[in-house]
Amino acid sequence: MKLTSRADFDTLVRNVTAAWDEMNDGSRWVISVGISECSIAKGATDTFEHLRLKLEDSGLRYVLRRVGCGGWCWAEPFVVVSGPNHPPILYGPVDAERAPDLVAAMQRGLPLADLAVGTVGDEAIGPIRPLLEHPFFSRQKRVLTEDWGVIDPTSIDDYIARGGYSSWAKVLFDMSPDEVIEEMKTANIRGRGGAGFPAGIKWERARKSRGAPKYVAVNSHEGEPNVYKDRRLIESNPHLVLEGILIACYAVGANRGYNYVGGEHVMALDRFKQAVEQAIEYGLVGENILGSGFDVEVRVRAGGGAYICGEGSALMYSVMGERGQPRTKPPRSVDEGLWRRPTMLNNTESIANTALVIRNGGEWYANLGTEKSKGTKLFTMQGPLKRLGVVEMEMGVNLKDLIFDVYGGMKDGYRFKGVQTGGVSAGALVEAQLDVPVDFDSLTPLGGMLGSGGFVIFDQSVCPVDFARYLQEFNRYESCSKCTPCRLGNPALVEIINRIRNGNGRPEDLDLIDRTSKHVIELSLCGLGQVAPMPLLGMIKAFREEFVEHINGVCRHGTCPMTARQPMAIAADG
Amino acid sequence: MSGKVAAVAREVQVSEEGLERVRTLLKEKYHPRDHEEAQELILMACQDIQHILGWVSPEAARLVGEHFGTTENRVFGLLTFYADFRTQPPGNHFMLLCHGTACYVGGSQRLIDELRDNYGVGDHETTADGELTVQIVNGCLGVCDIAPVIHLDHVYHGDLDVPTFRQTIEEAKRRGPAGGHHEAH
């Protein structure tokens, strides 16, 4: 069904909203199973199948549906159940064996307390407390993730029923491109890819950039270890990202938007492609959208597993079917990007905020977060913690609270040693440094970085020298080899750190690391090369004592190879 | 498996039937409207081909080049730059071993050492008996909460230590060759 006017769209909104309300009118059981890459890894498909078979014979009136990820990895596979006189309850982990119990409970009309995480809403049912009282949820500000685990990501109707594409209709008919940009500037979103450049200013530059046609590109390529927020965002709510791309195209005057998704993120890629097809079918993407006279085409492009393709110019080359290797700037991509035409590049998380800013106003957004870092941020925190997953917090959350409250602190038997910040582009922080707000500016003076919001907690069993070797090895491996300082400097650093690890370190090695790093940082061509030695330097800064111990031949963890070596061998290749 | 076996590159060609599937794929799915769009589609097509064949052979690369108006060399240059692609056929079982930061902290290095010491394979290599191909994922599989994690024959296995890792591989081998295509991840 192709919509050709705003009135058509309004009718559709009424119809799908009515269908949504009918589904949730309390006359039937609604069973929603989270199906995303992460929950499938934990057997959610089996849970779904077992539920399906049991429900078929249950005699209940029900709807069994798939939803996206909720962010609560620790409770996956999860199922949300609501029904007659039964407010929605989140259950998890529900593995396939427990599925019959859940269906039996529904037949009795009762909740299943031992599997319940909490109720959705304010009401407690017996021993089951509201989710909002749970430390994982109580401090979250779920704006981008509001509909995660609620809507079916493969259904455009679900998205529209929850207010989706209303911003798109609004900008097309009620706002000029300049007004959209003004709203973005009021919101003052800073780029979520890590650099933190204000999106509104970028949009304005792109609008003013001469040259035509123009393009909008979105970077959904997450090559960074331990960062998977954008994947989950697309898997759980792909239309939110798509709507953002459309609004951006309108604002800067582009008739084509690109989304570059890592080829290895199969489900995100499929769901986004499907979202685009659905939007085309409704006439929300295409020519003369809703009769407004505005045309836009959206292209989905896949990468091939190269970290470097997260760098802007490398990403552009990859989209154009070349090796993803950065080039010197200027010209910036807003002047000369894809096919040497003006291209505005945004991160997935930034662009996903767009529809919400238009829907609720820039002021609303600017009231979230801190003075210099507005809005919310998706975080992924990993390591030996009690609860793992994706959370959405207002900017400025205290790092200590995030680790020990929201994520529940260390698992039993593990002692906190440090937290690696900023993915593989910044340093680690130790326990004494944790009382700090997490935003774009506060972590940097300590040697850390917000980056894309990925943090890895490590415990006392991890040797910082070996960890530093791992991080440096990562950056060496991912160097695209185009420029010499990065191509040769990073392997040299790996060599030095390996020497220290093997028990052949020299007293001057830490200085040598400093000097070599300085070359890589100052002389590398692109942003990734310029931060490649940062995690190594950060680890030395945080745990210098242990590096010195290694140089003196002791690894207190007993994990570095030196512990197995004989003095003869040390002398031989020292 | 006992003792060490050296990983070897095997001389295998894609069957005529396999190539026919590649031709059909290109003809049915890829219709670039201009040269620019054709270039944009090369990587996507290579991903699709790898889904079908499990790797991208030189013959397949030539077909891609012909279809999109570029050279086999150019296509091969992409295949060797991007870590996802395999230019050698995979073995009976295909493993992605995540070596992201969370997996590292959880002990993925021990799994890599186990593969090297007892299976004789490293990144992008196949065991000499053709049973197992390993690809070490330097980025992240994105299921960090069950780190260290592998993706073996399309199934995730998490919270691994060396004994459970071994057991997982041996069970897969006992089940026999994984059916269907090898998903490019």
Side-chain angles (χ1 to χ4, degrees):
Chain A
M1 175 188 50
K2 194 153 194 154
L3 312 172
T4 52
S5 68
R6 192 176 191 179
D8 277 1
F9 177 72
D10 291 340
T11 310
L12 175 74
V13 172
R14 274 193 301 277
N15 293 342
V16 295
T17 311
W20 177 268
D21 291 343
E22 193 192 331
M23 179 176 78
N24 293 300
D25 66 2
S27 68
R28 57 180 75 67
W29 292 89
V30 180
I31 302 112
S32 310
V33 185
I35 302 283
S36 52
E37 197 73 29
C38 53
S39 58
I40 288 174
K42 274 151 260 167
T45 324
D46 286 348
T47 302
F48 185 89
E49 276 307 301
H50 277 67
L51 281 170
R52 189 177 64 78
L53 291 171
K54 279 284 158 195
L55 284 164
E56 271 176 11
D57 301 330
S58 66
L60 296 169
R61 191 166 175 233
Y62 71 93
V63 184
L64 176 64
R65 51 202 289 277
R66 293 180 175 86
V67 294
C69 162
W72 41 80
C73 295
W74 50 277
E76 280 180 333
F78 76 87
V79 183
V80 179
V81 177
S82 67
N85 303 316
H86 188 293
I89 294 177
L90 169 66
Y91 293 102
V94 184
D95 46 30
E97 288 85 70
R98 293 304 305 271
D101 300 345
L102 203 54
V103 177
M106 282 180 239
Q107 285 170 316
R108 290 195 300 273
L110 296 171
L112 190 61
D114 75 312
L115 268 185
V117 181
T119 59
V120 182
D122 320 323
E123 200 184 328
I125 305 174
I128 308 170
R129 308 295 307 169
L131 283 180
L132 290 173
E133 291 177 12
H134 193 291
F136 187 77
F137 298 91
S138 59
R139 306 184 63 149
Q140 285 199 52
K141 180 77 188 170
R142 292 174 69 95
V143 175
L144 278 177
T145 55
E146 192 187 356
D147 285 335
W148 284 25
V150 176
I151 59 168
D152 177 350
T154 62
S155 160
I156 189 172
D157 288 353
D158 273 18
Y159 180 67
I160 294 174
R162 301 280 294 174
Y165 291 112
S166 60
S167 301
W168 181 218
K170 185 171 164 187
V171 301
L172 282 176
F173 294 99
D174 302 339
M175 293 174 87
S176 70
D178 288 331
E179 283 169 338
V180 176
I181 288 171
E182 216 38 59
E183 209 63 58
M184 288 300 282
K185 282 167 77 179
T186 309
N188 198 6
I189 302 177
R190 292 173 65 180
R192 295 314 198 227
F197 190 81
I201 296 183
K202 195 186 245 185
W203 286 35
E204 189 169 47
R205 275 194 201 166
R207 170 138 191 94
K208 286 185 180 153
S209 172
R210 283 168 219 252
K214 288 178 193 175
Y215 305 128
V216 167
V218 170
N219 179 1
S220 299
H221 176 273
E222 292 184 305
E224 200 163 21
N226 186 49
V227 177
Y228 50 84
K229 60 175 179 82
D230 294 341
R231 266 173 267 184
R232 294 292 108 81
L233 186 51
I234 296 175
E235 285 170 13
S236 305
N237 199 352
H239 286 285
L240 187 65
V241 178
L242 178 56
E243 190 176 359
I245 296 176
L246 300 176
I247 293 168
C249 283
Y250 177 79
V252 306
N255 296 107
R256 192 190 295 165
Y258 286 87
N259 193 7
Y260 180 78
V261 185
E264 64 272 40
H265 312 156
V266 178
M267 182 178 272
L269 202 52
D270 287 349
R271 286 195 177 162
F272 193 78
K273 279 185 197 160
Q274 189 184 14
V276 174
E277 281 161 20
Q278 290 172 342
I280 291 173
E281 213 177 296
Y282 274 163
L284 295 166
V285 170
E287 287 176 5
N288 191 16
I289 297 162
L290 302 180
S292 65
F294 188 72
D295 306 336
V296 69
E297 174 197 10
V298 176
R299 293 182 175 184
V300 187
R301 294 293 177 250
Y307 175 58
I308 187 66
C309 292
E311 199 275 346
S313 60
L315 183 149
M316 309 268 168
Y317 283 117
S318 185
V319 170
M320 296 187 285
E322 301 281 349
R323 289 180 158 220
Q325 292 180 312
R327 61 163 169 79
T328 43
K329 279 154 266 178
R332 319 271 331 167
S333 54
V334 292
D335 298 315
E336 240 177 70
L338 285 167
W339 305 112
R340 305 195 69 178
R341 296 173 194 133
T343 306
M344 181 179 76
L345 180 65
N346 283 144
N347 177 264
T348 314
E349 190 183 339
S350 321
I351 207 88
N353 274 305
T354 308
L356 302 172
V357 167
I358 299 299
R359 205 186 296 173
N360 303 313
E363 281 294 332
W364 161 82
Y365 192 85
N367 281 327
L368 299 170
T370 65
E371 199 196 329
K372 287 189 173 163
S373 303
K374 303 293 188 195
T376 63
K377 178 82 193 78
L378 300 177
F379 293 108
T380 51
M381 197 170 266
Q382 303 302 337
L385 292 165
K386 287 210 176 98
R387 289 186 287 270
L388 297 171
V390 188
V391 298
E392 182 176 8
M393 314 290 297
E394 273 191 66
M395 283 282 192
V397 58
N398 183 288
L399 182 56
K400 199 170 193 164
D401 292 348
L402 190 59
I403 298 173
F404 292 97
D405 193 13
V406 179
Y407 283 96
M410 302 300 282
K411 266 201 272 195
D412 294 337
Y414 290 85
R415 269 179 52 226
F416 182 89
K417 177 155 187 154
V419 49
Q420 170 64 23
T421 66
V424 288
S425 311
L429 303 181
V430 296
E431 196 154 6
Q433 296 173 302
L434 298 185
D435 199 4
V436 59
V438 183
D439 58 28
F440 280 110
D441 312 297
S442 304
L443 296 175
T444 321
L446 302 175
M449 191 170 106
L450 173 61
S452 39
F455 295 87
V456 178
I457 309 296
F458 52 101
D459 69 294
Q460 296 285 351
S461 74
V462 175
C463 172
V465 177
D466 191 61
F467 198 2
R469 192 254 332 154
Y470 164 82
L471 293 163
Q472 185 57 40
E473 181 76 36
F474 178 93
N475 284 325
R476 179 204 63 78
Y477 182 90
E478 295 293 353
S479 167
C480 82
S481 300
K482 179 169 178 173
C483 71
T484 317
C486 180
R487 181 178 67 242
L488 298 184
N490 285 309
L493 289 167
V494 171
E495 197 176 306
I496 303 168
I497 191 79
N498 261 331
R499 181 159 78 207
I500 296 176
R501 229 176 117 245
N502 290 341
N504 304 329
R506 302 165 189 165
E508 67 274 19
D509 274 350
L510 294 184
D511 285 342
L512 187 58
I513 287 177
D514 266 349
R515 270 183 289 137
T516 312
S517 300
K518 205 171 161 216
H519 289 153
V520 178
I521 292 166
E522 287 179 0
L523 302 174
S524 287
L525 177 62
C526 79
L528 299 190
Q530 288 157 11
V531 297
M534 291 301 194
L536 171 60
L537 294 178
M539 209 54 92
I540 295 176
K541 192 174 163 206
F543 303 100
R544 191 173 187 94
E545 196 185 325
E546 291 196 42
F547 280 79
V548 174
E549 281 172 19
H550 277 73
I551 291 173
N552 294 329
V554 182
C555 169
R556 58 168 94 157
H557 302 271
T559 48
C560 285
M562 67 170 75
T563 45
R565 291 173 74 96
Q566 300 299 314
M568 283 286 285
I570 294 173
D573 66 7
Chain B
M1 181 183 294
S2 61
K4 292 187 183 185
V5 278
V8 288
R10 290 167 303 151
E11 293 287 326
V12 184
Q13 284 197 330
V14 174
S15 67
E16 191 42 46
E17 186 227 332
L19 289 179
E20 198 46 50
R21 290 177 67 196
V22 172
R23 283 191 200 100
T24 312
L25 168 88
L26 292 171
K27 206 160 63 196
E28 288 180 358
K29 194 169 163 190
Y30 291 97
H31 312 113
R33 283 160 288 186
D34 52 38
H35 181 69
E36 289 177 1
E37 192 177 10
Q39 305 312 297
E40 292 175 7
L41 292 172
I42 295 173
L43 279 172
M44 310 264 291
C46 289
Q47 293 272 14
D48 276 348
I49 290 168
Q50 186 158 287
H51 280 250
I52 294 174
L53 301 179
W55 63 304
V56 187
S57 70
E59 302 94 319
R62 187 172 322 126
L63 292 177
V64 171
E66 281 167 13
H67 189 81
F68 294 110
T70 185
T71 62
E72 180 186 350
N73 265 0
R74 153 92 180 285
V75 177
F76 230 72
L78 297 175
L79 296 176
T80 51
F81 180 83
Y82 291 98
D84 273 359
F85 296 110
R86 292 184 286 280
T87 50
Q88 290 286 331
N92 293 334
H93 303 278
F94 180 71
M95 178 196 294
L96 293 165
L97 191 152
C98 187
H99 197 36
T101 328
C103 284
Y104 163 80
V105 169
S108 55
Q109 185 64 50
R110 286 196 282 275
L111 310 184
I112 294 173
D113 292 347
E114 168 70 12
L115 286 173
R116 185 197 59 211
D117 296 342
N118 288 318
Y119 291 84
V121 271
D123 188 21
H124 274 90
E125 288 178 353
T126 303
T127 52
D129 57 6
E131 277 283 348
L132 178 68
T133 297
V134 174
Q135 187 177 327
I136 295 172
V137 180
N138 210 24
C140 183
L141 292 179
V143 285
C144 311
D145 61 309
I146 52 170
V149 62
I150 60 169
H151 193 244
L152 179 61
D153 298 339
H154 315 300
V155 181
Y156 288 100
H157 301 271
D159 294 321
L160 295 168
D161 55 18
V162 172
T164 51
F165 178 61
R166 252 186 117 91
Q167 201 185 335
T168 310
I169 297 172
E170 295 306 320
E171 271 170 20
K173 279 160 78 173
R174 270 199 298 281
R175 277 197 303 273
H181 58 84
H182 295 264
E183 198 150 329
H185 228 288

